[in-house]
Amino acid sequence: MRARLIPLDGGPAIELAKDLTLVGRNDDCDVRLDHKSVSKLHCILVKTDGLVLVRDLGSTNGTRVNGQQIRRAALLPEDQLAIAAFRYKVRFGDGPDEPPAVAVASPAGGAAVAAADESDEHPSITTESDRPVNGPPLRRNPLPDAYPDAAPNT
């Protein structure tokens, strides 16, 4: 499975070539983001079963998925991943590396699942770009491991 992080502010895409990708400021990281807002060992990205999992490694400035600060989460196509001040769009499969200039909402509100034959074990998923992607349907985790919006002061 091909997975990439497309910078929202331009620049080259980050190809997630390995199953485990360590992100941080340290020289030993697979993806090195040399900025003081990024922790030495910031987060890890894990490719598995057609999706990418992200785990924050106790970073100072946090990791966010679609604006929500997380400890760990599953990344779905077109999710926004923020590593400290760096923002990316998650892309799976082949396709353009440029982030879309204007976000266009589909009538179904995102990815639409095409009707599958009963003989088809994995239905075809049609993305907003209308390119079929084979695999099981993608579902959001009903119990995300996220920080609450407002932490009580104790």
Side-chain angles (χ1 to χ4, degrees):
M1 168 192 74
R2 183 176 183 207
R4 293 162 296 159
L5 299 178
I6 312 300
L8 293 181
D9 59 356
I14 297 173
E15 188 80 29
L16 301 178
K18 298 168 64 175
D19 288 339
L20 295 171
T21 303
L22 184 59
V23 180
R25 204 177 64 227
N26 196 319
D27 290 334
D28 294 331
C29 291
D30 300 308
V31 174
R32 189 163 180 269
L33 300 175
D34 192 16
H35 189 271
K36 63 183 177 180
S37 67
V38 178
S39 295
K40 290 178 184 174
L41 300 175
H42 198 96
C43 65
I44 191 162
L45 300 165
V46 180
K47 287 193 322 186
T48 180
D49 297 331
L51 60 103
V52 175
L53 305 173
V54 59
R55 170 89 184 208
D56 186 84
L57 298 175
S59 65
T60 302
N61 291 312
T63 303
R64 295 179 175 272
V65 175
N66 298 325
Q68 177 71 44
Q69 188 170 2
I70 55 96
R71 291 183 196 141
R72 62 178 173 237
L75 297 175
L76 298 175
E78 303 303 314
D79 275 351
Q80 285 191 19
L81 173 66
I83 300 168
F86 293 87
R87 293 181 20 202
Y88 300 94
K89 179 77 78 173
V90 178
R91 291 276 165 83
F92 294 111
D94 295 325
D97 284 347
E98 302 83 31
V102 176
V104 178
S106 67
V113 178
D117 296 340
E118 291 181 14
S119 62
D120 190 6
E121 182 176 312
H122 297 291
S124 175
I125 300 170
T126 305
T127 63
E128 289 180 353
S129 65
D130 293 329
R131 301 179 80 189
V133 178
N134 292 329
L138 299 175
R139 295 175 297 202
R140 290 217 179 263
N141 182 355
L143 301 171
D145 189 6
Y147 293 99
D149 288 336
N153 293 346
T154 55

